[in-house]
Amino acid sequence: MNQEEQIKKSRDLAKEILLLTRDYLLVSLGFLHIALYQFQSFQLTDNNTIGSNGEMLFYDYKYVLKTYKKEKEALARTYLHMVFHWIFYHPFKIGIEDANLWNLATDIAVENTILELNIKAVETQKDIEQKDVIDILKEKTEITAEKLYKYFWRNPLAENQLKEYDALFKRDDHSIWGFNPKRKQFDNQIDEEFVYKKFEEQKEEYQEEIKEEWEKISERVKVELETFSKDRGEEATALIQNIKEVHRDHYDYGEFLRQFSVLSEEIQVNNDEFDFGFYTYGMQLYGNLPLIEPLEHKEVYKIKDFVIALDTSGSCSGEVVQGFLNKTYSIMKSTENFFRKVNIHIIQCDAKIQQDTKITSDEEFENFMDNLQLFGFGGTDFRPVFYYVEQLIEQGEFDNLKGLIYFTDGYGIFPEWRPKYDVAFVFLDENYNEKKIPSWAIKLVLQEDELKI
């Protein structure tokens, strides 16, 4: 057998091992069957590693053979590791300031998930050392990629410790997440024209297609997990925790605020219903006499009657409340969601109403923000706000109250009855832990960086 034939045989063997590894995992993890089989093709590289772009699995055949020969469970572990990255949406995270820190956080979160599943088929020599590190981290934060990243960002690791953790938890090549592998990484057997058309010319569209596919898969895994967790109990804790992080309700806050706007007419040129053809024809025919004038009234959606409730109990810091108000005001102002005259009540409450500030104009809102002073810092009871708003409605204070947003840490007594207006409880991500809000209320979770203007 010549060298070329030997290389081909080795390549074929490596691919066969990967396919067998996938089937091997399916025996123990049937609820992941769709995710395990999502890598639709196996493509060769020469970079001594393995990774996936969500559709294809890229691997160095020498790496696969060497890893399998040394510890076959390690290869199965790596395959499962890659799958969980995509189930948890790790490659789709945007706005990350430190990519290396994010990579480490995602690897630790995935490895913790696999360790807690307690699957013998993927036990490796590094497990004990990994558990020791994770046990220490569990005392500091939850073991999800998002929480770990924030913890590491606020508590920087020493350079040597960062390298140590990276070596301990890393298994796949995250650079392939970017869907932009370098030309030298590919073997000649690959259709390079197809690959580069996908990865360069249609990069954004391709990424969106991949994301949509994994959103469906992740949702399916979530459903399967509900049955699986009943059988496996605590062994699925980390998996449930991470999958909930993925499917938590994170909204575009600007879009969210628009839900509470009302339709009204304002005096302004309505270009949407104005026929410029007749206008131009009249100007051409008669000089300066148009056949039609622009409509001076336009229906627009804007915020008029609105309530913002602030939890000023001892567990809510003034800085966070200030950030929330700044963000809310900035969105309202920038999207022109204000009427010229508004009726917004900003109510501060801990266990009782502490202050109600009525805002009737843009200028008053700015003045309130410039001179913000918080009152309270006692216990938390949400009910006084709703009783108070009902009194305001009875007194005719609102023409058409659309909604109330309650910014809180969630620790308090919720009302049992449903008001006639929409209600949203807004939580900051780092303080959020599956708060049990009433079924009739909207739940909104904001990331800390969303409070930055």
Side-chain angles (χ1 to χ4, degrees):
M1 183 181 298
N2 59 37
Q3 184 178 6
E4 185 177 338
E5 291 174 334
Q6 183 62 49
I7 291 175
K8 183 180 184 305
K9 183 178 179 180
S10 297
R11 288 172 173 171
D12 292 342
L13 179 59
K15 183 175 181 178
E16 184 178 351
I17 288 173
L18 286 171
L19 294 173
L20 289 172
T21 297
R22 179 187 63 186
D23 297 339
Y24 183 53
L25 288 169
L26 184 62
V27 174
S28 302
L29 299 164
F31 71 100
L32 289 177
H33 64 283
I34 295 178
L36 289 170
Y37 281 76
Q38 183 58 23
F39 302 146
Q40 298 173 9
S41 61
F42 294 74
Q43 308 286 0
L44 288 168
T45 70
D46 59 0
N47 58 359
N48 192 37
T49 189
I50 190 170
S52 173
N53 69 347
E55 180 184 47
M56 296 178 279
L57 189 150
F58 299 92
Y59 68 98
D60 184 331
Y61 77 94
K62 290 174 287 188
Y63 167 85
V64 171
L65 295 176
K66 180 177 64 177
T67 302
Y68 186 78
K69 183 178 180 180
K70 182 179 180 181
E71 187 182 13
K72 68 177 183 179
E73 291 82 5
L75 188 63
R77 177 69 155 265
T78 299
Y79 195 106
L80 185 58
H81 180 107
M82 289 186 291
V83 169
F84 274 132
H85 274 316
W86 292 94
I87 290 175
F88 297 155
Y89 297 175
H90 291 161
F92 303 118
K93 187 70 174 181
I94 59 175
I96 292 296
E97 296 183 51
D98 190 325
N100 292 329
L101 216 54
W102 174 247
N103 286 334
L104 174 61
T106 63
D107 283 337
I108 295 176
V110 165
E111 288 296 288
N112 178 59
T113 300
I114 298 173
L115 286 169
E116 289 197 9
L117 286 174
N118 197 24
I119 305 296
K120 191 170 183 60
V122 293
E123 291 181 355
T124 68
Q125 298 171 6
K126 297 194 295 185
D127 286 6
I128 295 177
E129 192 176 353
Q130 283 188 343
K131 288 177 181 177
D132 290 341
V133 172
I134 289 172
D135 285 343
I136 295 173
L137 291 173
K138 282 182 177 179
E139 297 177 0
K140 310 291 185 181
T141 184
E142 294 179 29
I143 310 300
T144 66
E146 291 77 9
K147 297 293 174 60
L148 282 167
Y149 177 79
K150 288 180 180 178
Y151 174 75
F152 290 144
W153 182 261
R154 294 168 180 167
N155 304 274
L157 296 169
E159 188 66 28
N160 62 329
Q161 194 174 27
L162 188 62
K163 291 180 179 179
E164 178 187 338
Y165 282 7
D166 186 65
L168 183 60
F169 291 96
K170 181 179 179 180
R171 292 194 178 274
D172 61 326
D173 185 354
H174 293 185
S175 68
I176 298 176
W177 290 356
F179 315 110
N180 189 25
K182 297 177 182 178
R183 181 175 297 273
K184 66 179 181 180
Q185 291 179 318
F186 291 95
D187 185 89
N188 291 331
Q189 290 186 346
I190 294 179
D191 184 349
E192 290 189 317
E193 181 179 352
F194 165 76
V195 171
Y196 284 96
K197 181 179 180 182
K198 283 277 192 180
F199 285 72
E200 297 292 344
E201 297 177 8
Q202 301 178 356
K203 183 177 178 180
E204 290 185 7
E205 179 182 347
Y206 185 56
Q207 286 183 3
E208 190 59 34
E209 290 174 1
I210 297 293
K211 184 177 181 181
E212 289 177 3
E213 192 62 33
W214 278 100
E215 284 174 348
K216 295 176 185 176
I217 294 170
S218 186
E219 183 62 39
R220 179 66 179 271
V221 171
K222 179 174 177 287
V223 173
E224 297 278 354
L225 185 59
E226 294 174 358
T227 301
F228 172 80
S229 60
K230 294 177 183 177
D231 301 328
R232 301 303 293 265
E234 293 183 359
E235 294 176 2
T237 300
L239 178 53
I240 293 170
Q241 189 179 45
N242 279 274
I243 208 78
K244 282 184 176 180
E245 187 76 37
V246 168
H247 293 280
R248 183 183 297 175
D249 296 327
H250 295 290
Y251 295 91
D252 180 292
Y253 191 43
E255 184 62 32
F256 178 76
L257 280 179
R258 283 188 281 275
Q259 295 181 30
F260 296 114
S261 58
V262 295
L263 185 65
S264 182
E265 285 190 345
E266 284 206 336
I267 300 176
Q268 56 177 283
V269 175
N270 187 352
N271 292 326
D272 296 333
E273 299 181 17
F274 177 58
D275 191 332
F276 282 94
F278 279 101
Y279 180 87
T280 304
Y281 178 70
M283 294 293 286
Q284 293 175 344
L285 186 63
Y286 300 109
N288 62 351
L289 181 64
L291 294 178
I292 187 173
E293 292 284 354
L295 297 175
E296 294 184 349
H297 290 82
K298 180 179 181 180
E299 289 186 329
V300 291
Y301 285 94
K302 292 199 172 187
I303 292 172
K304 185 176 182 182
D305 288 336
F306 194 60
V307 174
I308 299 173
L310 304 175
D311 178 357
T312 56
S313 61
S315 54
C316 284
S317 70
E319 183 179 352
V320 170
V321 172
Q322 175 87 46
F324 168 72
L325 284 173
N326 282 334
K327 184 69 173 180
T328 303
Y329 174 63
S330 176
I331 291 174
M332 288 178 171
K333 187 175 181 180
S334 64
T335 58
E336 297 183 351
N337 271 355
F338 265 156
F339 277 109
R340 286 180 173 81
K341 187 172 180 61
V342 296
N343 182 25
I344 298 175
H345 283 255
I346 302 178
I347 302 171
Q348 298 186 39
C349 180
D350 47 15
K352 62 180 181 180
I353 301 296
Q354 294 291 346
Q355 187 186 63
D356 176 18
T357 303
K358 181 175 180 177
I359 305 293
T360 62
S361 67
D362 192 1
E363 293 74 23
E364 287 183 6
F365 208 135
E366 287 190 8
N367 183 62
F368 174 79
M369 294 299 300
D370 291 340
N371 301 282
L372 178 63
Q373 185 177 358
L374 300 179
F375 302 91
F377 310 107
T380 308
D381 190 340
F382 302 119
R383 295 172 298 180
V385 166
F386 293 92
Y387 294 141
Y388 179 69
V389 171
E390 286 299 315
Q391 292 176 9
L392 293 178
I393 292 174
E394 292 175 2
Q395 295 168 7
E397 176 62 23
F398 300 106
D399 293 329
N400 183 16
L401 179 60
K402 290 289 291 182
L404 179 153
I405 286 184
Y406 211 130
F407 185 69
T408 176
D409 60 8
Y411 296 101
I413 304 173
F414 292 96
E416 297 180 357
W417 48 276
R418 178 174 186 167
K420 297 178 182 178
Y421 47 87
D422 291 332
V423 176
F425 286 94
V426 180
F427 306 94
L428 189 62
D429 180 67
E430 66 176 7
N431 295 324
Y432 176 78
N433 188 20
E434 288 299 308
K435 302 297 185 299
K436 294 182 179 179
I437 70 171
S439 59
W440 43 261
I442 300 168
K443 177 177 60 180
L444 176 66
V445 182
L446 295 180
Q447 300 290 337
E448 185 178 9
D449 55 10
E450 290 185 80
L451 299 185
K452 300 175 183 178
I453 307 243

